[in-house]
Amino acid sequence: MTTLATAIQQSLDGRWAAIRDEARTDLDPERFAPPSEPLDLESYRARIADQVQALAATGHAKRGFPRALGGNGDLGGSVTAFELLGHADLSLMVKAGVHWGLFGGAVANLGTERHHTAYLPSIIDATLPGCFAMTETGHGSDVQSLGTTATYDPATDELVVHTPDLRARKDYIGGAARDGRMAAVFAQLVTEGESHGVHCVLVPIRDESGATMPGVTIGDCGAKAGLPGVDNGRLTFEQVRVPRTNLLNRYGDIDEDGAYTSPIANPTRRFFTMLGTLVRGRISVAGGAGAATRTALTLAVTYAGHRRQFAPPGGTDEVILLDYRAHQRKLLPALAKSYALQYAQNELVELMHDVQSAGDAADEHQQRELEARAAGTKAVATAHATATIQMCREACGGAGYLAVNRLPALKADTDVFTTFEGDNTVLLQLVAKGLLTDYRDAFGDLDTMGMVRFGARQFAGAVIERSSARGLIQRLIDSAPGRDSEKGPTDRGWQLDLFEDREKHLIETLALRLRKAGKPGADLFDVFNDAQDHVIEAARAHVDRTVLESFVAAIDRCEDASAAQTLSRVCDLYALSSIESDKGWFLEHGRITPARSKQVTAAVNDLCAALRPHAQELVDAFGIPKAWLGTELLAPLD
């Protein structure tokens, strides 16, 4: 690796660089990389189950749990190590995430001391394989409407977990089909005929010998488009009885007399508070998607740097693929966006670590910011993964279609990322709703009236909040030239101002549109539904702005001058290629002139040419061990 690549890697690795280096060493490709030969479904699942046990032995899993609960309290380090699994085998990443992140996270964050003492040691060392039973056949995104019930029986001091119909069947549950012995089941909690909303109950689904528990029916989802090593299954409960104490009771409890109590009186706020504690899964999916995308780009850029095709007129040597402008245009803007998203992910993980390490003392405003940024980053990062991995496959031609070169598996394995841990369209709507309401309304009914009543004037002052390096960003914007300035489109202040101006415009006009349409007697669902395209566009603009600011802040922190200069060009390419892809909006709304639009396109071409000599260094800086990549795309033919 060159000196420049090493310096850029140090910048990219961020606060938990030591954890990344440790994972690069600990995750032996002989043990943790994808299989070199095709495996049948059972063999692949068995391989991944074995890898989970090996991963537990490394001690990485302890990072995800507080010291008081048997871990070492490095929550950010845990998510960072998990992200690195995305470079190895995505089936392992998901399987590990389900067990430690979702199942273990539910016990740690929704349970209390009795659960922590009884279960966390065996969760951490993976001797109690678990699964996370939230999604139902009839309800994925709408968790509040789950149909499974957990009814308290005072005669036996038990909870009776039941699946009333097919729509309430737990579906797509990772770990259920083969290995899971206990499920964290999300169900409507009922006492004395009254429902208290969705709560989580621990339900054994297999005994220690692997036999299915009475009343539990387990099905197998079978082969999927990808993630063959993850044993997704279906769970149905027929009046399954568990002790009352199996209720994870941090936010809602039933006492020995059968009385329900909660520290949060409002049921809707209680529900969103519970879900908010599980935000780490969404952040981890974004990180895994980013890792898979960087793997694909490393393969495609490396291949394009030595693959030759067509000789120029009068020449004899064929041209290297990456010397073609069209090929640069395919790969380099996507590479720039991956850099931007990595810095945004690093910042998001830091925020998560600080907020969740604070526990109940965490600032509510920071918690709301964390949830919104997690939703937006996950939506954008997973969509970028889907588009970029497909582009990398095409950029490698027939070689990219070969299973041995990993791109088909990366494409298949990440495809589901756009819809699990939150459907991307729903997540972007959540981002917009968070922008349109204050914290109290966000934990209310989330109906349209709350948004309609919140005027644009109040909103404009609240929405634009700097993600990092606040003083730096504001100084750059304050010094931004006008749209016809001679400074040109690579002026950083101009870029930041344009991204911010677009976000402000979209959100202010959305708020005014909702307020205008939401007059007395209006159908509030129709009001919001009619503006749904506007809602999603506003959310995307918000995420784009925060991602750009994260990149700018990272460059400012970079201590190596040469690395900072190169990263500045990469940031320019991210910003300008983003503007170019949406130039219709900027032109329609008078934010850029036709002349400036042409300058943006020319600047993107110039940046591609300027970064071409550094393309290999930029992917080397991802720090992916070559043994993990392990494909023939890396080696020149001559």
Side-chain angles (χ1 to χ4, degrees):
M1 188 182 292
T2 67
T3 302
L4 176 62
T6 300
I8 293 175
Q9 180 183 319
Q10 290 173 349
S11 172
L12 269 178
D13 279 356
R15 177 171 166 181
W16 284 277
I19 300 297
R20 292 182 188 275
D21 284 339
E22 185 179 329
R24 288 169 180 136
T25 301
D26 288 351
L27 299 180
D28 177 9
E30 292 296 322
R31 190 70 184 271
F32 294 106
S36 57
E37 298 293 335
L39 297 176
D40 60 67
L41 199 61
E42 171 55 27
S43 297
Y44 209 135
R45 289 176 172 181
R47 176 187 174 90
I48 293 299
D50 179 66
Q51 288 177 338
V52 168
Q53 295 300 318
L55 193 60
T58 68
H60 280 289
K62 287 187 176 181
R63 290 196 174 92
F65 299 92
R67 292 184 184 277
L69 306 184
N72 65 12
D74 189 1
L75 306 183
S78 173
V79 172
T80 299
F82 176 85
E83 177 188 312
L84 267 289
L85 290 176
H87 291 305
D89 189 331
L90 288 161
S91 283
L92 174 59
M93 186 200 79
V94 172
K95 180 84 167 182
V98 167
H99 173 71
W100 285 299
L102 296 179
F103 175 62
V107 174
N109 294 308
L110 301 181
T112 52
E113 185 177 358
R114 70 191 187 206
H115 307 107
H116 302 158
T117 301
Y119 299 111
L120 284 182
S122 53
I123 291 173
I124 292 172
D125 68 15
T127 55
L128 176 63
C131 47
F132 186 80
M134 179 181 281
T135 297
E136 295 180 352
T137 303
H139 289 100
S141 298
D142 187 6
V143 178
Q144 217 166 356
S145 299
L146 294 177
T148 302
T149 57
T151 305
Y152 179 64
D153 182 354
T156 60
D157 197 29
E158 293 174 313
L159 289 168
V160 183
V161 180
H162 183 62
T163 305
D165 51 48
L166 180 61
R167 285 169 53 83
R169 178 184 64 184
K170 294 299 179 182
D171 208 352
Y172 227 91
I173 310 305
R178 183 183 186 275
D179 300 315
R181 285 182 26 221
M182 179 172 282
V185 178
F186 287 77
Q188 304 288 347
L189 182 65
V190 180
T191 64
E192 299 179 332
E194 179 184 357
S195 176
H196 301 284
V198 173
H199 289 63
C200 188
V201 181
L202 296 179
V203 181
I205 61 173
R206 290 184 178 89
D207 62 22
E208 292 187 5
S209 69
T212 304
M213 297 295 288
V216 178
T217 300
I218 302 177
D220 194 328
C221 293
K224 308 178 294 292
L227 300 174
V230 182
D231 53 327
N232 294 97
R234 300 183 171 102
L235 297 173
T236 301
F237 306 98
E238 181 62 37
Q239 306 293 340
V240 175
R241 291 178 173 270
V242 298
R244 168 180 55 86
T245 53
N246 278 30
L247 172 68
L248 297 181
N249 61 332
R250 178 179 177 186
Y251 296 107
D253 198 8
I254 302 171
D255 66 19
E256 294 177 355
D257 298 321
Y260 176 83
T261 58
S262 172
I264 304 175
N266 183 291
T268 304
R269 181 172 181 180
R270 180 167 62 241
F271 169 76
F272 282 103
T273 300
M274 286 192 288
L275 289 194
T277 66
L278 304 175
V279 71
R280 203 185 317 171
R282 193 165 285 166
I283 296 170
S284 296
V285 169
T293 309
R294 295 192 296 277
T295 297
L297 284 164
T298 299
L299 295 172
V301 169
T302 303
Y303 183 70
H306 62 70
R307 175 76 156 89
R308 294 178 178 272
Q309 198 70 250
F310 301 109
T316 57
D317 292 335
E318 291 178 298
V319 177
I320 292 175
L321 284 182
L322 201 51
D323 288 339
Y324 287 107
R325 181 56 47 79
H327 214 75
Q328 294 170 7
R329 277 277 194 158
K330 283 183 180 181
L331 294 172
L332 299 185
L335 180 61
K337 186 168 184 177
S338 287
Y339 263 76
L341 287 169
Q342 178 67 68
Y343 286 122
Q345 176 75 10
N346 289 352
E347 204 168 82
L348 175 60
V349 171
E350 289 198 35
L351 178 62
M352 179 220 71
H353 178 86
D354 295 340
V355 170
Q356 295 202 335
S357 294
D360 292 334
D363 178 79
E364 285 191 352
H365 177 76
Q366 280 193 317
Q367 178 66 36
R368 180 180 63 161
E369 181 187 358
L370 172 63
E371 292 167 13
R373 291 185 65 184
T377 302
K378 185 269 180 185
V380 171
T382 56
H384 176 61
T386 296
T388 301
I389 294 170
Q390 172 64 23
M391 179 272 296
C392 288
R393 205 294 298 160
E394 294 178 16
C396 293
Y401 197 60
L402 295 175
V404 70
N405 289 327
R406 292 199 63 192
L407 290 170
L410 289 170
K411 177 182 171 183
D413 288 347
T414 56
D415 191 34
V416 74
F417 285 16
T418 58
T419 51
F420 90 134
E421 279 298 315
D423 175 272
N424 283 357
T425 300
V426 175
L427 292 183
L428 288 172
Q429 291 182 76
L430 290 177
V431 171
K433 285 178 179 179
L435 295 172
L436 285 168
T437 58
D438 64 12
Y439 186 71
R440 200 171 305 154
D441 288 338
F443 285 94
D445 292 332
L446 289 179
D447 59 12
T448 309
M449 182 60 77
M451 289 174 279
V452 170
R453 287 174 175 167
F454 199 76
R457 183 177 299 276
Q458 300 131 289
F459 174 77
V463 65
I464 301 298
E465 183 168 326
R466 308 287 176 219
S467 56
S468 62
R470 291 166 173 80
L472 167 68
I473 302 297
Q474 192 59 55
R475 287 195 303 273
L476 289 169
I477 289 178
D478 289 343
S479 65
R483 67 182 184 181
D484 296 318
S485 168
E486 295 180 358
K487 283 191 175 182
T490 55
D491 181 84
R492 185 76 70 232
W494 178 81
Q495 296 166 3
L496 289 162
D497 188 49
L498 198 63
F499 274 57
E500 179 174 305
D501 180 63
R502 183 188 184 201
E503 179 188 357
K504 280 183 176 178
H505 175 88
L506 283 166
I507 298 172
E508 289 173 0
T509 53
L510 173 60
L512 289 170
R513 179 178 176 180
L514 291 173
R515 187 171 63 178
K516 184 177 180 180
K519 54 189 175 184
D523 185 312
L524 297 179
F525 172 79
D526 286 344
V527 168
F528 188 72
N529 196 43
D530 288 344
Q532 209 164 29
D533 58 329
H534 196 157
V535 167
I536 292 171
E537 191 171 11
R540 289 189 191 280
H542 171 74
V543 177
D544 287 347
R545 192 263 302 171
T546 59
V547 169
L548 177 59
E549 289 187 359
S550 297
F551 202 160
V552 173
I555 295 169
D556 186 60
R557 292 192 301 268
C558 184
E559 297 178 356
D560 184 280
S562 179
Q565 182 181 39
T566 302
L567 286 171
S568 184
R569 286 179 171 176
V570 177
C571 186
D572 283 336
L573 182 55
Y574 164 67
L576 296 182
S577 59
S578 298
I579 294 168
E580 184 183 45
S581 66
D582 288 318
K583 65 181 178 181
W585 187 93
F586 290 110
L587 285 165
E588 287 174 2
H589 291 80
R591 265 49 182 190
I592 61 173
T593 63
R596 176 50 61 94
S597 176
K598 293 177 182 178
Q599 289 176 356
V600 167
T601 297
V604 170
N605 284 334
D606 290 344
L607 287 164
C608 285
L611 290 171
R612 160 61 183 99
H614 302 293
Q616 188 62 51
E617 290 173 301
L618 288 171
V619 294
D620 287 345
F622 291 149
I624 309 171
K626 284 211 166 63
W628 290 9
L629 297 169
T631 83
E632 59 188 32
L633 291 177
L634 303 178
L637 296 177
D638 49 14

